[in-house]
Amino acid sequence: MTSKALYLHVPFCAHICAYCDFAHVGYCSSLVNQWLEALKIEIEDKKVPENLETIYLGGGTPVSLQEDELEKLLILLDPYCQKIKEYTIEINPEVMTLEKAKICHRHGINRASIGFQSSDKRLLKLMDRQHDYTEVQEMIEFLKKVGITNYSLDLLYSLPGQTMELFQQSVNDALALEPKHLSLYSLTIEPNTLFARKGLKPLEADLEADMYEWICAYLPSQGYDHYEISNFAKKGFESRHNQMYWHYEDFIGLSCGASGKENHERYDKSKNLREYLKNPLEYKKIPLGKEDEQFESIMMGLRLKEGIDLLDWKEKYQENMVEYYDKAFQKHLSNGNLVLEGTYVRCTKKGFPILQSILVDFL
């Protein structure tokens, strides 16, 4: 089956945020030029299909590239954009310009994922974010001016020192910007981050849970459908690209720090830019057996509000899911964490927040 989704990782940032553990290096023009040459080799070798439906440019910070560099990157992808339905770029407000917005629009980008995180100046400083709320407003005006009106905002909660009141204010400030989509993630402190080196911790589990419960009640009241465990959207503006992941479709991964899944195999590109530049075609293969794929499809599918279509699953794996995972299903159907509705199995409101513990029983 030909992959219809492509993820491309841009490993450069103007500066490194205190919580970030993605593959990244500080911006350097000579490294960007070497990276673009390596990427060209990888794209040609990969034989990227021309019937892609979604492209997602993540990072790092794709718009940390200078305008001519961003243009060169998008030119490399132009041949594969003829049938694109959703073309997303991640944006950090501090490095976005009107000219970069024009370049994005000119090459068919029709969706932006914006690193908003918080509207509180103290928390932004703690995270080493170099923007404020006014700059986010200005950047959204750039997008609207060129015709990119489909934009999503990322927010973090459970930040050190964050109160419920501060979090609610950030959510309302985000809503005032009229996004079509919101992604809200609880802080996880990864080992190789500045937060970890400083010994910072997320909030107490009870307060974090209260924040999530409030989001789940409040955002639907504001017209946003809670369509995935951490994601909310106006009707018709759910992320097409991310749904490829949640529906466990194959996808192509390009560049340093990217991962992909194709033909019963997952692969990871090196997170080390120097290694990638030496050999852009090298990657680590992880073969996926039938049981791996069955479990991973459940792990991803139960993140969606709609859940998993049992008929599709049976067609794909030649197994009855409820019978195959009988013990886990019976436990979580009886305790109200999962529910069967028609041909679908899904998490209940009670089950969503504890999905990780539910999945342990499916292992």
Side-chain angles (χ1 to χ4, degrees):
M1 185 178 68
T2 305
S3 301
K4 294 188 177 180
L6 182 148
Y7 173 79
L8 191 151
H9 192 82
V10 181
F12 301 98
C13 288
H15 77 280
I16 309 304
C17 298
Y19 55 84
C20 183
D21 190 40
F22 291 116
H24 53 235
V25 296
Y27 172 84
C28 169
S29 60
S30 63
L31 282 178
V32 171
N33 288 326
Q34 292 176 59
W35 172 73
L36 286 167
E37 288 301 316
L39 185 62
K40 184 179 180 182
I41 292 168
E42 187 184 2
I43 289 172
E44 288 172 355
D45 178 78
K46 193 69 179 170
K47 296 182 173 62
V48 175
E50 294 185 5
N51 65 338
L52 292 173
E53 292 183 5
T54 71
I55 295 177
Y56 193 105
L57 304 181
T61 311
V63 293
S64 67
L65 303 183
Q66 298 299 308
E67 288 156 8
D68 62 322
E69 296 161 346
L70 181 61
E71 186 98 57
K72 287 175 185 175
L73 169 61
L74 298 182
I75 286 170
L76 287 177
L77 295 173
D78 279 346
Y80 315 103
C81 295
Q82 306 312 307
K83 296 183 179 179
I84 289 294
K85 296 176 180 175
E86 181 186 273
Y87 194 166
T88 302
I89 188 167
E90 287 185 353
I91 292 176
N92 191 329
E94 74 194 63
V95 286
M96 191 58 176
T97 64
L98 177 58
E99 186 55 37
K100 288 178 186 178
K102 289 177 181 177
I103 292 166
C104 289
H105 185 258
R106 188 157 65 239
H107 289 274
I109 288 174
N110 57 16
R111 184 175 184 271
S113 178
I114 299 165
F116 179 83
Q117 312 310 356
S118 174
S119 60
D120 182 74
K121 288 185 177 181
R122 189 189 64 79
L123 290 175
L124 288 169
K125 186 176 180 181
L126 177 73
M127 290 184 277
D128 252 350
R129 303 288 291 178
Q130 307 292 307
H131 66 83
D132 61 20
Y133 187 73
T134 303
E135 287 172 285
V136 180
Q137 289 176 303
E138 290 171 354
M139 189 216 63
I140 287 174
E141 288 307 310
F142 294 157
L143 294 174
K144 287 180 176 177
K145 194 166 186 178
V146 303
I148 300 174
T149 56
N150 182 5
Y151 51 90
S152 175
L153 299 179
D154 284 358
L155 282 84
L156 276 173
Y157 64 97
S158 196
L159 289 161
Q162 189 178 36
T163 63
M164 178 65 90
E165 291 71 27
L166 284 176
F167 175 57
Q168 290 173 340
Q169 184 61 53
S170 286
V171 171
N172 281 310
D173 287 339
L175 292 177
L177 299 170
E178 301 181 329
K180 298 291 196 297
H181 187 282
L182 290 156
S183 299
L184 296 104
Y185 304 108
S186 62
L187 176 68
T188 302
I189 296 186
E190 303 291 351
N192 299 317
T193 61
L194 182 59
F195 270 5
R197 292 193 292 273
K198 286 183 173 180
L200 295 176
K201 304 286 183 190
L203 299 177
E204 292 294 324
D206 285 351
L207 179 52
E208 182 180 305
D210 288 346
M211 288 177 168
Y212 182 72
E213 188 177 330
W214 178 78
I215 299 163
C216 296
Y218 185 63
L219 288 179
S221 78
Q222 303 303 302
Y224 292 85
D225 180 36
H226 187 189
Y227 75 102
E228 191 271 345
I229 198 164
S230 301
N231 287 273
F232 302 77
K234 294 284 189 181
K235 188 171 177 59
F237 290 94
E238 300 83 1
S239 169
R240 285 177 179 265
H241 183 84
N242 287 342
Q243 285 185 90
M244 295 280 194
Y245 302 151
W246 299 322
H247 286 129
Y248 205 59
E249 304 287 344
D250 279 2
F251 65 98
I252 297 164
L254 291 178
S255 175
C256 165
S259 295
K261 182 177 80 72
E262 298 178 79
N263 302 317
H264 310 289
E265 181 179 273
R266 189 164 50 249
Y267 55 88
D268 297 323
K269 305 289 294 186
S270 173
K271 289 187 172 186
N272 184 298
L273 180 59
R274 300 261 177 209
E275 286 182 9
Y276 174 76
L277 295 178
K278 281 181 192 172
N279 186 0
L281 305 185
E282 188 175 341
Y283 57 90
K284 180 183 176 184
K285 296 180 183 179
I286 305 156
L288 295 169
K290 182 181 175 182
E291 287 200 350
D292 298 322
E293 293 187 327
Q294 288 178 171
F295 172 72
E296 290 183 5
S297 70
I298 292 172
M299 177 177 71
M300 301 305 286
L302 286 180
R303 294 181 63 91
L304 289 164
K305 185 176 82 169
E306 70 182 14
I308 300 167
D309 188 330
L310 297 171
L311 296 181
D312 285 350
W313 203 89
K314 185 174 183 178
E315 184 179 345
K316 200 169 187 178
Y317 301 111
Q318 302 302 304
E319 300 280 2
N320 180 309
M321 187 201 292
V322 177
E323 291 176 2
Y324 192 83
Y325 293 100
D326 179 62
K327 194 173 177 182
F329 264 115
Q330 295 313 317
K331 175 181 175 180
H332 292 287
L333 288 170
S334 63
N335 65 17
N337 292 330
L338 297 176
V339 65
L340 285 168
E341 286 184 347
T343 64
Y344 281 80
V345 59
R346 62 173 180 82
C347 278
T348 60
K349 286 183 179 179
K350 177 186 170 188
F352 244 170
I354 56 165
L355 177 57
Q356 292 304 317
S357 61
I358 293 171
L359 290 171
V360 169
D361 291 321
F362 282 87
L363 273 172

Short mmCIF file of all heavy atoms in Angstrom, two decimals, residues 169-208:
data_model
loop_
_atom_site.label_atom_id
_atom_site.label_comp_id
_atom_site.label_asym_id
_atom_site.label_seq_id
_atom_site.Cartn_x
_atom_site.Cartn_y
_atom_site.Cartn_z
N GLN A 169 -6.70 30.97 32.12
CA GLN A 169 -6.48 32.24 31.43
C GLN A 169 -5.78 32.00 30.08
O GLN A 169 -6.15 32.60 29.06
CB GLN A 169 -5.63 33.18 32.28
CG GLN A 169 -5.42 34.57 31.67
CD GLN A 169 -6.74 35.31 31.48
OE1 GLN A 169 -7.52 35.45 32.41
NE2 GLN A 169 -7.00 35.77 30.25
N SER A 170 -4.78 31.11 30.06
CA SER A 170 -4.08 30.80 28.81
C SER A 170 -5.03 30.19 27.78
O SER A 170 -4.96 30.52 26.60
CB SER A 170 -2.90 29.85 29.07
OG SER A 170 -1.83 30.52 29.68
N VAL A 171 -5.89 29.29 28.23
CA VAL A 171 -6.85 28.67 27.32
C VAL A 171 -7.79 29.73 26.74
O VAL A 171 -8.04 29.76 25.53
CB VAL A 171 -7.64 27.55 28.02
CG1 VAL A 171 -8.80 27.06 27.14
CG2 VAL A 171 -6.72 26.38 28.38
N ASN A 172 -8.29 30.61 27.58
CA ASN A 172 -9.19 31.66 27.10
C ASN A 172 -8.47 32.66 26.18
O ASN A 172 -9.04 33.15 25.20
CB ASN A 172 -9.85 32.37 28.27
CG ASN A 172 -11.01 31.56 28.83
OD1 ASN A 172 -11.88 31.11 28.10
ND2 ASN A 172 -11.02 31.35 30.14
N ASP A 173 -7.20 32.95 26.49
CA ASP A 173 -6.42 33.82 25.61
C ASP A 173 -6.21 33.14 24.25
O ASP A 173 -6.24 33.79 23.21
CB ASP A 173 -5.06 34.14 26.24
CG ASP A 173 -5.18 35.12 27.40
OD1 ASP A 173 -6.20 35.83 27.47
OD2 ASP A 173 -4.25 35.18 28.23
N ALA A 174 -6.00 31.84 24.28
CA ALA A 174 -5.86 31.09 23.03
C ALA A 174 -7.16 31.12 22.23
O ALA A 174 -7.16 31.34 21.02
CB ALA A 174 -5.45 29.64 23.32
N LEU A 175 -8.29 30.92 22.90
CA LEU A 175 -9.59 30.93 22.22
C LEU A 175 -9.88 32.28 21.58
O LEU A 175 -10.53 32.36 20.53
CB LEU A 175 -10.70 30.56 23.20
CG LEU A 175 -10.71 29.13 23.71
CD1 LEU A 175 -11.82 28.93 24.73
CD2 LEU A 175 -10.86 28.13 22.57
N ALA A 176 -9.38 33.35 22.20
CA ALA A 176 -9.60 34.70 21.65
C ALA A 176 -8.93 34.87 20.29
O ALA A 176 -9.31 35.75 19.51
CB ALA A 176 -9.06 35.75 22.63
N LEU A 177 -7.97 34.01 19.99
CA LEU A 177 -7.28 34.06 18.69
C LEU A 177 -8.02 33.27 17.62
O LEU A 177 -7.58 33.21 16.47
CB LEU A 177 -5.85 33.51 18.84
CG LEU A 177 -4.95 34.29 19.81
CD1 LEU A 177 -3.66 33.53 20.08
CD2 LEU A 177 -4.65 35.69 19.28
N GLU A 178 -9.14 32.67 17.99
CA GLU A 178 -10.05 31.96 17.08
C GLU A 178 -9.37 30.86 16.27
O GLU A 178 -9.51 30.78 15.05
CB GLU A 178 -10.75 32.96 16.14
CG GLU A 178 -11.56 34.00 16.89
CD GLU A 178 -12.27 34.98 15.95
OE1 GLU A 178 -11.74 35.25 14.85
OE2 GLU A 178 -13.35 35.44 16.32
N PRO A 179 -8.64 29.95 16.94
CA PRO A 179 -8.04 28.83 16.21
C PRO A 179 -9.09 27.83 15.77
O PRO A 179 -10.14 27.71 16.40
CB PRO A 179 -7.09 28.22 17.24
CG PRO A 179 -7.76 28.50 18.55
CD PRO A 179 -8.39 29.87 18.40
N LYS A 180 -8.80 27.11 14.70
CA LYS A 180 -9.70 26.05 14.26
C LYS A 180 -9.45 24.77 15.04
O LYS A 180 -10.28 23.85 15.02
CB LYS A 180 -9.49 25.77 12.77
CG LYS A 180 -9.78 26.97 11.85
CD LYS A 180 -11.25 27.28 11.81
CE LYS A 180 -11.65 28.17 10.64
NZ LYS A 180 -11.05 29.51 10.67
N HIS A 181 -8.30 24.72 15.74
CA HIS A 181 -7.87 23.47 16.36
C HIS A 181 -7.00 23.80 17.57
O HIS A 181 -6.27 24.79 17.58
CB HIS A 181 -7.06 22.68 15.32
CG HIS A 181 -6.67 21.28 15.72
ND1 HIS A 181 -5.63 21.02 16.58
CD2 HIS A 181 -7.16 20.07 15.35
CE1 HIS A 181 -5.50 19.71 16.72
NE2 HIS A 181 -6.42 19.11 15.99
N LEU A 182 -7.08 22.97 18.60
CA LEU A 182 -6.25 23.12 19.80
C LEU A 182 -5.68 21.77 20.20
O LEU A 182 -6.39 20.78 20.21
CB LEU A 182 -7.07 23.68 20.97
CG LEU A 182 -7.54 25.13 20.87
CD1 LEU A 182 -8.76 25.35 21.74
CD2 LEU A 182 -6.42 26.08 21.28
N SER A 183 -4.38 21.75 20.52
CA SER A 183 -3.73 20.56 21.07
C SER A 183 -3.22 20.92 22.45
O SER A 183 -2.49 21.89 22.60
CB SER A 183 -2.56 20.11 20.19
OG SER A 183 -3.01 19.77 18.89
N LEU A 184 -3.62 20.13 23.45
CA LEU A 184 -3.22 20.42 24.83
C LEU A 184 -2.51 19.21 25.42
O LEU A 184 -3.07 18.11 25.48
CB LEU A 184 -4.44 20.78 25.67
CG LEU A 184 -5.12 22.08 25.22
CD1 LEU A 184 -6.39 21.79 24.45
CD2 LEU A 184 -5.43 22.96 26.42
N TYR A 185 -1.27 19.43 25.84
CA TYR A 185 -0.43 18.33 26.32
C TYR A 185 0.04 18.60 27.74
O TYR A 185 0.46 19.71 28.06
CB TYR A 185 0.79 18.16 25.42
CG TYR A 185 0.45 17.94 23.97
CD1 TYR A 185 0.68 18.93 23.02
CD2 TYR A 185 -0.12 16.74 23.55
CE1 TYR A 185 0.36 18.73 21.69
CE2 TYR A 185 -0.44 16.52 22.22
CZ TYR A 185 -0.20 17.52 21.28
OH TYR A 185 -0.53 17.32 19.97
N SER A 186 0.01 17.55 28.57
CA SER A 186 0.58 17.68 29.91
C SER A 186 2.10 17.56 29.80
O SER A 186 2.62 16.80 29.00
CB SER A 186 0.02 16.61 30.84
OG SER A 186 0.37 15.32 30.39
N LEU A 187 2.77 18.34 30.62
CA LEU A 187 4.23 18.37 30.58
C LEU A 187 4.83 17.02 30.98
O LEU A 187 4.48 16.45 32.00
CB LEU A 187 4.75 19.46 31.52
CG LEU A 187 6.28 19.55 31.67
CD1 LEU A 187 6.92 20.03 30.37
CD2 LEU A 187 6.66 20.46 32.83
N THR A 188 5.72 16.52 30.14
CA THR A 188 6.56 15.37 30.48
C THR A 188 7.99 15.87 30.49
O THR A 188 8.43 16.47 29.50
CB THR A 188 6.41 14.23 29.46
OG1 THR A 188 5.04 13.84 29.40
CG2 THR A 188 7.26 13.04 29.83
N ILE A 189 8.71 15.63 31.56
CA ILE A 189 10.09 16.13 31.63
C ILE A 189 11.03 15.01 31.18
O ILE A 189 11.18 13.99 31.84
CB ILE A 189 10.44 16.64 33.04
CG1 ILE A 189 9.54 17.85 33.34
CG2 ILE A 189 11.92 17.00 33.14
CD1 ILE A 189 9.82 18.58 34.61
N GLU A 190 11.63 15.22 30.00
CA GLU A 190 12.54 14.24 29.41
C GLU A 190 13.96 14.45 29.94
O GLU A 190 14.35 15.57 30.27
CB GLU A 190 12.51 14.35 27.88
CG GLU A 190 11.13 14.18 27.26
CD GLU A 190 10.59 12.77 27.37
OE1 GLU A 190 11.35 11.87 27.78
OE2 GLU A 190 9.40 12.56 27.06
N PRO A 191 14.76 13.38 29.98
CA PRO A 191 16.08 13.44 30.61
C PRO A 191 17.04 14.47 30.03
O PRO A 191 17.83 15.07 30.75
CB PRO A 191 16.63 12.01 30.40
CG PRO A 191 15.43 11.16 30.20
CD PRO A 191 14.41 12.02 29.54
N ASN A 192 16.99 14.70 28.70
CA ASN A 192 18.00 15.55 28.07
C ASN A 192 17.57 17.00 27.90
O ASN A 192 18.05 17.70 27.01
CB ASN A 192 18.37 14.98 26.69
CG ASN A 192 18.95 13.59 26.80
OD1 ASN A 192 19.77 13.33 27.69
ND2 ASN A 192 18.53 12.69 25.93
N THR A 193 16.68 17.46 28.77
CA THR A 193 16.18 18.83 28.65
C THR A 193 16.71 19.71 29.77
O THR A 193 17.16 19.22 30.81
CB THR A 193 14.64 18.84 28.69
OG1 THR A 193 14.21 18.31 29.96
CG2 THR A 193 14.05 17.99 27.58
N LEU A 194 16.60 21.03 29.55
CA LEU A 194 17.01 21.99 30.57
C LEU A 194 16.15 21.83 31.83
O LEU A 194 16.66 21.93 32.95
CB LEU A 194 16.90 23.42 30.02
CG LEU A 194 17.34 24.55 30.96
CD1 LEU A 194 18.81 24.37 31.37
CD2 LEU A 194 17.14 25.91 30.30
N PHE A 195 14.87 21.55 31.65
CA PHE A 195 13.99 21.31 32.81
C PHE A 195 14.55 20.18 33.67
O PHE A 195 14.56 20.27 34.90
CB PHE A 195 12.58 20.95 32.34
CG PHE A 195 11.66 22.15 32.15
CD1 PHE A 195 12.13 23.45 32.30
CD2 PHE A 195 10.32 21.97 31.84
CE1 PHE A 195 11.28 24.54 32.14
CE2 PHE A 195 9.47 23.06 31.67
CZ PHE A 195 9.96 24.34 31.82
N ALA A 196 15.00 19.10 33.03
CA ALA A 196 15.52 17.95 33.78
C ALA A 196 16.81 18.33 34.50
O ALA A 196 17.00 17.97 35.67
CB ALA A 196 15.77 16.78 32.83
N ARG A 197 17.67 19.07 33.80
CA ARG A 197 18.94 19.46 34.42
C ARG A 197 18.73 20.39 35.61
O ARG A 197 19.52 20.41 36.55
CB ARG A 197 19.85 20.12 33.38
CG ARG A 197 20.34 19.15 32.31
CD ARG A 197 21.48 19.70 31.49
NE ARG A 197 21.09 20.81 30.64
CZ ARG A 197 20.59 20.66 29.40
NH1 ARG A 197 20.40 19.44 28.90
NH2 ARG A 197 20.27 21.70 28.67
N LYS A 198 17.63 21.15 35.57
CA LYS A 198 17.31 22.04 36.69
C LYS A 198 16.56 21.32 37.81
O LYS A 198 16.30 21.90 38.87
CB LYS A 198 16.44 23.21 36.20
CG LYS A 198 17.20 24.26 35.40
CD LYS A 198 16.26 25.39 35.03
CE LYS A 198 17.00 26.56 34.37
NZ LYS A 198 16.06 27.66 34.01
N GLY A 199 16.19 20.06 37.56
CA GLY A 199 15.46 19.28 38.56
C GLY A 199 14.01 19.68 38.71
O GLY A 199 13.39 19.41 39.75
N LEU A 200 13.43 20.32 37.68
CA LEU A 200 12.03 20.73 37.75
C LEU A 200 11.10 19.54 37.57
O LEU A 200 11.45 18.54 36.93
CB LEU A 200 11.74 21.79 36.69
CG LEU A 200 12.49 23.12 36.87
CD1 LEU A 200 12.21 24.05 35.70
CD2 LEU A 200 12.09 23.78 38.18
N LYS A 201 9.90 19.64 38.11
CA LYS A 201 8.91 18.55 38.06
C LYS A 201 7.57 19.10 37.57
O LYS A 201 7.26 20.28 37.79
CB LYS A 201 8.71 17.94 39.45
CG LYS A 201 9.98 17.42 40.13
CD LYS A 201 10.45 16.13 39.48
CE LYS A 201 11.67 15.59 40.22
NZ LYS A 201 12.29 14.47 39.47
N PRO A 202 6.76 18.25 36.93
CA PRO A 202 5.38 18.65 36.64
C PRO A 202 4.61 18.86 37.93
O PRO A 202 5.09 18.57 39.03
CB PRO A 202 4.83 17.47 35.83
CG PRO A 202 6.00 16.65 35.44
CD PRO A 202 7.05 16.89 36.48
N LEU A 203 3.36 19.31 37.80
CA LEU A 203 2.51 19.51 38.97
C LEU A 203 2.10 18.17 39.59
O LEU A 203 2.29 17.10 38.99
CB LEU A 203 1.26 20.28 38.55
CG LEU A 203 1.49 21.68 37.97
CD1 LEU A 203 0.17 22.29 37.54
CD2 LEU A 203 2.21 22.59 38.97
N GLU A 204 1.53 18.25 40.77
CA GLU A 204 0.98 17.05 41.42
C GLU A 204 -0.07 16.41 40.51
O GLU A 204 -0.80 17.11 39.80
CB GLU A 204 0.34 17.41 42.76
CG GLU A 204 1.33 17.87 43.81
CD GLU A 204 2.28 16.76 44.26
OE1 GLU A 204 1.81 15.61 44.33
OE2 GLU A 204 3.46 17.05 44.50
N ALA A 205 -0.14 15.08 40.56
CA ALA A 205 -1.03 14.33 39.66
C ALA A 205 -2.49 14.77 39.78
O ALA A 205 -3.21 14.84 38.77
CB ALA A 205 -0.91 12.84 39.94
N ASP A 206 -2.94 15.11 40.99
CA ASP A 206 -4.34 15.49 41.18
C ASP A 206 -4.66 16.80 40.46
O ASP A 206 -5.72 16.92 39.83
CB ASP A 206 -4.67 15.63 42.68
CG ASP A 206 -4.80 14.27 43.36
OD1 ASP A 206 -4.82 13.25 42.64
OD2 ASP A 206 -4.89 14.24 44.60
N LEU A 207 -3.75 17.79 40.56
CA LEU A 207 -4.00 19.07 39.89
C LEU A 207 -3.92 18.90 38.38
O LEU A 207 -4.73 19.48 37.65
CB LEU A 207 -2.99 20.12 40.37
CG LEU A 207 -3.11 21.52 39.74
CD1 LEU A 207 -4.55 22.06 39.86
CD2 LEU A 207 -2.12 22.49 40.40
N GLU A 208 -2.97 18.11 37.92
CA GLU A 208 -2.88 17.84 36.48
C GLU A 208 -4.17 17.19 35.98
O GLU A 208 -4.69 17.56 34.92
CB GLU A 208 -1.68 16.92 36.21
CG GLU A 208 -1.48 16.63 34.74
CD GLU A 208 -0.29 15.72 34.50
OE1 GLU A 208 0.83 16.06 34.94
OE2 GLU A 208 -0.47 14.66 33.86
#
